[in-house]
């Protein structure tokens, strides 16, 4: 059955081919145009799924997203046809290009349809056993050490479970930074989701670092970090101590003194001191 004119955002399997939905399969078979990150990856997937390659495959990448969005919108409009947008695996737009194309289509009143399915973020949360009532997806962990550490410090105080994408090669560096910033929070490293060797390992960052140093992982991973423990009397005491010290000392000096007095984690103390300082400026 022919598809209606429009953009179809189609989720594909992240490992197990059996996870493709019947609707997604029908849409990919019927679409005349397929917009994808890497045509080689998508053509291989189509072959495995038994979908013919008699289609027009177009690349849609980060560095040409603005240009490609216009071209694809023009194709849908001028040819009154359907374009299916897929990523290499999983749900398009989740840490992958695509939102500019959706915006472009909406601006031009081109219909947009979403076909939900596999998403590594949601699957990792489900496997982790960590709180799922509130979570924040923060994309890929930065490659550079300072950027990685700064991001962790920025997000450490957010009262939500945190989810990151990471590669196996960088996992040790990331867990080392996480051990310093997130201290004893429970974490999960989830890998090979939906595949034969699917694994979810939980523990503190230090425990996970010790394990994966002895058993190096492979592939892309999802890192899940539990939210901070609710403030207790010790935290309230630290808050009070910092307020007193910041009234008479520079930020770094006050943080160093508070760590000595309260025995608190240096990064958590610095983050709290910044919050107090910023609050006082309002």
């Amino acid at each position: 059955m022919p598809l209606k004119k429009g953009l179809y955002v189609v989720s594909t399997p992240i490992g197990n081919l059996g996870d493709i939905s019947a609707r997604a399969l029908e849409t990919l078979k019927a679409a005349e145009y397929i917009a994808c990150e890497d045509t080689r990856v998508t053509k291989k997937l189509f072959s495995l799924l038994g979908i013919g390659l008699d289609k027009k495959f177009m690349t849609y990448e980060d560095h040409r997203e603005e240009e490609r969005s216009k071209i694809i919108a023009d194709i849908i409009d001028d040819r009154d046809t359907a374009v299916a947008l897929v990523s290499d695996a999983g749900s398009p737009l989740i840490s992958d290009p695509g939102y500019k194309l959706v915006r472009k289509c909406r601006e031009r009143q081109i219909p947009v349809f979403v076909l939900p399915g596999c998403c590594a973020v949601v699957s990792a949360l489900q496997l982790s056993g960590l709180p799922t009532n509130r979570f924040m997806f923060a994309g890929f962990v930065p490659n550079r050490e300072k950027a990685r550490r700064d991001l962790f410090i920025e997000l450490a105080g957010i009262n939500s479970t945190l989810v990151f994408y990471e590669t196996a090669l960088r996992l040790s560096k990331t867990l080392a930074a996480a051990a310093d910033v997130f201290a004893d929070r429970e974490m999960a490293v989830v890998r090979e989701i939906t595949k034969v060797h699917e694994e979810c390992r939980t523990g503190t960052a230090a425990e996970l670092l010790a394990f994966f140093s002895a058993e190096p992982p492979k592939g892309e991973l999802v890192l899940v970090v539990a939210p901070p423990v609710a403030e207790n009397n010790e935290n309230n005491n630290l808050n009070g101590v910092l307020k007193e010290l910041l009234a008479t000392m520079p930020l770094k000096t006050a943080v160093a003194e508070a760590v000595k007095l309260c025995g608190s984690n240096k990064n958590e103390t610095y983050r709290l001191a910044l919050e107090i300082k910023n609050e006082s400026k309002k």
Side-chain angles (χ1 to χ4, degrees):
M1 183 176 177
L3 292 174
K4 294 179 182 178
K5 164 187 172 179
L7 175 70
Y8 291 75
V9 182
V10 185
S11 296
T12 55
I14 55 178
N16 192 317
L17 293 177
D19 292 333
I20 187 78
S21 73
R23 184 180 170 215
L25 202 54
E26 289 174 6
T27 300
L28 294 176
K29 286 179 179 178
E32 182 180 2
Y33 291 84
I34 308 294
C36 50
E37 293 178 81
D38 188 326
T39 57
R40 295 166 300 179
V41 172
T42 300
K43 285 179 179 179
K44 180 180 179 181
L45 173 65
F46 276 38
S47 294
L48 292 171
L49 292 172
I51 303 174
L53 301 180
D54 54 337
K55 303 184 179 295
K56 300 177 178 68
F57 291 86
M58 304 176 288
T59 55
Y60 185 81
E61 312 138 317
D62 278 319
H63 64 282
R64 297 174 64 198
E65 195 169 358
E66 197 72 51
E67 170 198 336
R68 300 301 286 174
S69 293
K70 184 181 182 307
I71 291 172
I72 293 171
D74 285 343
I75 288 173
I76 297 172
D77 252 348
D78 297 344
R79 305 185 188 183
D80 200 33
T81 191
V83 173
L85 172 68
V86 298
S87 60
D88 284 348
S91 298
L93 282 75
I94 308 301
S95 209
D96 281 326
Y99 88 90
K100 289 183 180 178
L101 174 55
V102 172
R103 287 177 66 89
K104 179 68 70 177
C105 288
R106 295 218 172 278
E107 285 170 9
R108 292 171 55 167
Q109 298 185 322
I110 294 171
V112 178
F113 307 92
V114 64
L115 284 70
C118 297
C119 178
V121 175
V122 175
S123 298
L125 278 165
Q126 292 168 324
L127 285 167
S128 72
L130 299 180
T132 56
N133 56 316
R134 290 180 60 182
F135 65 89
M136 175 183 174
F137 174 54
F140 277 94
V141 177
N143 188 27
R144 295 180 181 276
E145 184 176 350
K146 184 179 185 306
R148 181 190 303 121
R149 184 182 177 81
D150 287 348
L151 176 64
F152 286 173
I153 291 173
E154 176 190 343
L155 301 181
I158 294 176
N159 187 26
S160 298
T161 298
L162 304 175
V163 187
F164 304 89
Y165 283 164
E166 185 53 290
T167 63
L169 290 174
R170 297 202 302 255
L171 181 63
S172 292
K173 292 179 180 179
T174 291
L175 288 174
D180 193 22
V181 176
F182 297 122
D184 292 328
R185 287 199 213 175
E186 187 178 1
M187 301 174 65
V189 172
V190 189
R191 68 181 194 90
E192 296 291 279
I193 298 173
T194 77
K195 299 177 185 177
V196 174
H197 300 294
E198 178 179 273
E199 178 184 24
C200 176
R201 188 158 295 272
T202 59
T204 64
E207 291 168 344
L208 291 170
L209 178 58
F211 176 82
F212 286 111
S213 294
E215 301 280 345
K218 295 181 180 180
E220 290 189 352
L221 319 164
V222 183
L223 180 67
V224 188
V225 183
V229 177
E231 282 195 345
N232 52 28
N233 291 332
E234 287 182 43
N235 290 337
N236 290 331
N237 181 51
L238 175 60
N239 193 299
V241 168
L242 277 170
K243 284 182 178 178
E244 288 187 23
L245 294 173
L246 287 167
T248 58
M249 298 179 182
L251 180 69
K252 289 185 178 180
T253 307
V255 168
E257 192 64 26
V259 168
K260 289 179 186 176
L261 292 171
C262 301
S264 53
N265 177 274
K266 183 178 179 181
N267 290 308
E268 290 289 341
T269 306
Y270 185 80
R271 179 189 60 75
L272 182 57
L274 275 178
E275 288 181 2
I276 294 170
K277 192 113 178 142
N278 291 334
E279 190 66 32
S280 67
K281 293 177 181 178
K282 294 180 180 179

